[in-house]
Amino acid sequence: KMAAGVLPFVRGVDFTKYNFKGGLFPDKTKNMAGLRWLSLNQTGLCYLPEELATLKKLKEIRVSRNDLNSLHGDLASLPQLKSINASHNHLKDASIPSDIFKLDDLSVLDLSHNQLSAIPPDLENCKTLLVLNMSHNQIESIPPQLFINLTDLLHLDWSSNNLDSIPPQLRRLVHLKTLILNDNPLQHAQLRQLPSMVSLTALHLRNTQRNISNFPTNLDPLKFLSDIDLSYNQLTRLPECLYMLSTLERLNLSNNEIQELSLLIDTWTKMRTLNLTNNLLTSLPASLCKLQCLQRLFISDNKLDFEGIPASIGKLGNLEVFCADSNNLESVPESLCRCHKLRKLILSDNRLVTLPDSIHLLQDLKILDLRGNPNLVMPPKPVPVDENASKVYNIDFSLNNQLRRIGVVPPGGAEQQAVSTKDHVARRLRLRRRHEAADSKAQKVLQGMSDVAHDKNLATETQEEANSEIVKAGKKWDESLNKPDLDYSEIFCEEIGIFPGLTIWQIENFYPVQIEDVTYHGKFYVADCYIILHTKTDASGTLSWEIYYWIGQDSSIDKKACSAIHAVNLRNMLGAEGRTIREEMGDESDEFVELFNNDIAYIEGGNASGFYSVEQTVYQTRLYALWGKRTVTPYPVPLETSSLNPNEVLILDTGMTIYVWVGVNAKGVKRSKARLIAEKVNKDERKNNAEIVMSYQGYEEGDFWMIFGGIPDEIEPNDLTQYRGEKPRLYKVTLGMGYLELPQVRYHLVTEHPTKPDPELQPNKRLLKSLLNSKNVYILDCHSDVFVWVGRKSPRLVRAAAMKLAHEISAMIHRPSFAVVSKQLEGTESVLFKSRFSGWTDVLKVDYTRADEKVIIKQDAVENKIDLSAIFLPRQQAMADTEALQLMEDWNEDLDLMQGFVLEGKKFISLPQEEFGRFYSKDCYVFLCRYWVPAEVDPDAEDDDEPEEDDTQCVVYFWQGHEAPSMGWLTFTFTLQKKFEALFPGKLEVCKMKQQQVYLYIFSFFVQITNILFSCSGKLEVLVPFPSKFYQIRSNGGMLTTRCIEIDPNPKMLNSEFCFILKVPFNSADSAGMVYGWIGRVANPNEARLMEDMISVMFGDGYSVQILNEGEEPENFFWVGLGGRCETYEEQADYLHHVRLFRCSNEKGFFAVSEKCTDFCQDDLADDDIMLLDNGNEVYMWVGSQTSQVEVKLGLKTVSVYIQHMKSKGIRRKLKLVRKGNEPWDFTKCFHAWVPFKKP
């Protein structure tokens, strides 16, 4: 019975580097009845699989680099077998079956790198052999009969054996092209047979005890010899016969005893590589300069000095590599620097004193090795004019440029920009008036023509005269017609087309929707259509427009029609000349592609159309771990809690929610890179509609654990690299007349690449995007992921066959249960696929998580995106008290019910009403609020209709203190939240808050019902016999942000602009004592009244209350409670009116600055980012402990721009740097209730 699928049509497959050890060879291979070639290299085989016997059409078998002890099996039963490669195994003499030499068509036999001590019996009977490789064995002699019968050999390799002689019958191999005898004693071999082998092109005699006496004296018959290797021999001079070989291209004479070269080397006109390393040369002949084809010259480890290098060496115009290390060179000839193609120059371990100045002019020079020259003084390098002095990582940080980016004219630059910057609105009005004037003139001409016609009463003559007048006026007939007054304001904005640049619309439900985010320019969904407007200005400031409409290959007919219609509407609105230009996916014009800097990307999917609905994409939930340090690559792991590692960062992709799980011991660098990967997946694959959730170990949400089926008892380290698999394997799918082939692309080899890769790139990292050809289909096997990459121009049959083949091949190989086969269209590749290729993942052009010196930018022509607009915006002003009161009243108008809960032990209990508004930093609180939602009233409804009832909406606020346990959130999600969701199905909203990072919407309720907002740092802890409690009342931006927070009892904390509360107990029982209300000299009167109300609520009758104005402090308890008198506390807090906090981050995928609200707190200082704090006098640049050097450098440039901007407005600021944990007082006082950072 024939097997189903495409396996019977497969003609060749490469299973190299799969693990078939222990009987894992796929038994479905026997279904490949049409197989012609099979590669099983490096698969761990110990014996030949039985399934080979069924492959009767097999012609080539490769089983090298395995653990084979024998070739006995069914090879002889394969009648069409032509090639056997069994190198690098453990084969011995008896393990080679003689019956394979009876095969009629066997032409290639490779038994190298085994343990053979003699020629296999009956090998001489295999007269069809063309290639024989017996190298790296232990063979001591060659039977003469072998060369008598095998006269058709083309390639013969006996290197690294124990041969001491060669049979004279070797001369019979007149067709032999390659003879390799390296690393054999051959002390009795005179090699007189060589002149008879007239077809020889390559002769390798390395380490064969050659000298002048035992080397042939005549090689003239060898007219095709181009490659000779005589290294590691005993030659004292070059054999004369070699000078006569004008066909030589490669000559290796290294590690001999040659003292000089003859001038006759000028006969080597085709020489490309000459190796004279480790000889006794003192000079090179001047005729060396005649080797115009020479590309590589190796003269290391000789006795050459400056005079020994010909002065005319600069005539070697093709020289690319010059190695002269370990000589006696004091310098090199200046002419060497005229070899403009030189890429590699090795001069280490010489006696260099200086080098020619022109050494700096070798533009192609990649490697210059000058080590081991202690007296070397390098010539000064020419200082180029730095036109980009203000640029860092190809980003222009100049103040003028940053102001222009946000559309602001730089200070003092209005005059300079007057020439190029036009008032586009005024210009459009002038153009309109000009058109109206032209129309008026045309009307007068028409009126005149009508009068003439009336006078003469000749209709034909009137028409001729009218036409004559129109021609004289220089206007065409259609220009005189009045265009209908069409209104496009509902489709396009009036400001469109007045500023140079690109504007792009996407067709949604028959209408164009403008794409505001420029990061999506050039990224097109294959099922959508777009309109692209390119606005340009010439030297005089005149506007011109180009209008394109782009058609996706999977777009619906209504989108295609609407894009064309609205493109014409846009042209009519602008009054643009010319036609609209149609661009189709995959066939865009060069002019269109250049609009996006040749960077166009296609994304699968599209928006809903007016006629058709888009099916919701179903995403498979997968868990990814990260591999690598500099370049991070995600790879799938089992969706189990055992995969969570405290030392790692993992990405949980559920489709429209992407979790970035951070272990407690994970590095911040990996966390940042994981967030960037999630952002890239969201933008490129989810249309930016997915939610990215940062989930830290111990603070996970309930939905996170529901995916895993519950919370684990403990999270322990686990080795996840076992799921990473081996190196990716890239297959090229080829289709012939009724067959398929699946060869591997050896991307580690330079020859496999269409363009030569970077030589510094390691071979195992040469999986490059350039390997993928648009005309082909490829399969990338990553063990737990199999990708089918489909080129745009690939044949349809190959696409269909490749998907079927990928599924069948994937099922043949042992894989994890979560392995997936996915299709990747060219231009719409997933982030996971692109991450497998070196240098393809464009998450960042500048990696902000790396060290400064390791950053490389490859796209120098395009300026990297940044956003510094926040530092140019005005400071947020404080809200007036009347406005705050009105806002609180509006917020709480619909509040129907509030119920509070507090975490006690492992469960939440009801919070007493009198505790509302009090928050302890070691506790977690939950507040359930029910709001009335007024019913919508239809104004057109009849009065007789009954009014609809109001609805309700429930919101749950979760508040967590600084020192609260992390299990509080999990306890809430699995207990209270479940109960609330059951009570209010579909009407529940959950809001999570942290201490001092709260929603003012809920806290306005506490202010309104109690007139206080109180928070202290913890429940009572008896640390000293009579502990004092000190509280500060402070507002950061208005009444809504007023808080009373416990601070350290330190008299230096007093300030004349604030109010403080000091509680001094009489004894350790803390049941009685004094409470002082301290009012600063210039404190806010409202805060003073608020303080008195808070004292009455906070403390019972056991305390005596005393309200003090500044300067009225008693000596007994007040100063004692603060630890002593202090006369030097601050008397003003002007910084509250100036303080601003900025965050410099790369979480958006590019460097951006954002401003925190005025009600910021200490927790807003991100440990892996740069923070800028302006306190009115100084600008502090705060550096976290996990901030990268690149972010520090960009942060310095940013704060420099900010200071320049403030200076342009007449405001002076000083720059101060501060690292986390070393903050000065002028920095910490800007934060309410600052506490020292916890040490890790």
Side-chain angles (χ1 to χ4, degrees), residues 524-544:
F524 303 113
Y525 288 97
V526 297
D528 279 335
C529 294
Y530 297 81
I531 299 174
I532 298 92
L533 171 64
H534 181 212
T535 306
K536 301 183 294 184
T537 57
D538 56 18
S540 63
T542 303
L543 289 170
S544 61

Side-chain angles (χ1 to χ4, degrees), residues 445-446 448-449 452 456 460-477:
V445 173
L446 291 174
M449 291 190 298
V452 174
K456 294 185 178 182
T460 55
E461 295 180 4
T462 301
Q463 182 65 30
E464 293 176 359
E465 293 177 3
N467 292 338
S468 176
E469 292 294 329
I470 292 177
V471 172
K472 292 179 180 180
K475 296 178 67 67
K476 297 180 181 179
W477 68 269

Side-chain angles (χ1 to χ4, degrees), residues 879-1044:
M879 184 182 298
D881 290 349
T882 55
E883 185 180 352
L885 290 173
Q886 181 62 41
L887 192 59
M888 284 189 289
E889 184 178 349
D890 295 342
W891 280 349
N892 293 286
E893 181 178 358
D894 296 326
L895 181 62
D896 177 58
L897 175 67
M898 173 183 283
Q899 186 175 357
F901 304 88
V902 62
L903 182 63
E904 289 287 349
K906 295 185 178 181
K907 63 180 181 178
F908 283 91
I909 63 173
S910 181
L911 181 68
Q913 187 71 24
E914 59 271 13
E915 291 290 332
F916 276 38
R918 300 190 182 191
F919 298 89
Y920 294 90
S921 63
K922 292 185 179 180
D923 283 339
C924 296
Y925 297 85
V926 173
F927 296 95
L928 174 63
C929 300
R930 187 173 66 187
Y931 298 92
W932 289 111
V933 180
E936 296 183 0
V937 179
D938 187 0
D940 299 331
E942 298 181 2
D943 297 338
D944 298 337
D945 295 342
E946 296 182 0
E948 297 184 6
E949 295 183 359
D950 294 341
D951 199 0
T952 59
Q953 175 69 35
C954 296
V955 182
V956 178
Y957 298 94
F958 179 87
W959 186 94
Q960 183 171 343
H962 286 308
E963 304 175 20
S966 59
M967 292 301 293
W969 171 251
L970 294 178
T971 304
F972 162 71
T973 55
F974 283 95
T975 56
L976 280 183
Q977 184 174 350
K978 299 298 182 184
K979 295 180 180 178
F980 293 155
E981 290 175 348
L983 291 174
F984 311 102
K987 298 181 180 181
L988 189 69
E989 179 183 354
V990 179
C991 300
K992 185 179 180 181
M993 306 177 294
K994 291 186 178 181
Q995 184 173 334
Q996 288 186 267
Q997 295 175 319
V998 298
Y999 294 95
L1000 298 182
Y1001 192 85
I1002 174 63
F1003 270 73
S1004 65
F1005 169 76
F1006 300 127
V1007 176
Q1008 187 173 20
I1009 63 172
T1010 64
N1011 202 32
I1012 63 171
L1013 183 58
F1014 164 60
S1015 176
C1016 72
S1017 63
K1019 296 184 178 180
L1020 179 62
E1021 295 183 2
V1022 182
L1023 302 178
V1024 294
F1026 303 98
S1028 300
K1029 296 291 184 179
F1030 194 40
Y1031 306 90
Q1032 181 187 22
I1033 300 175
R1034 175 170 164 176
S1035 172
N1036 296 332
M1039 180 183 295
L1040 282 175
T1041 59
T1042 303
R1043 295 181 180 86
C1044 177

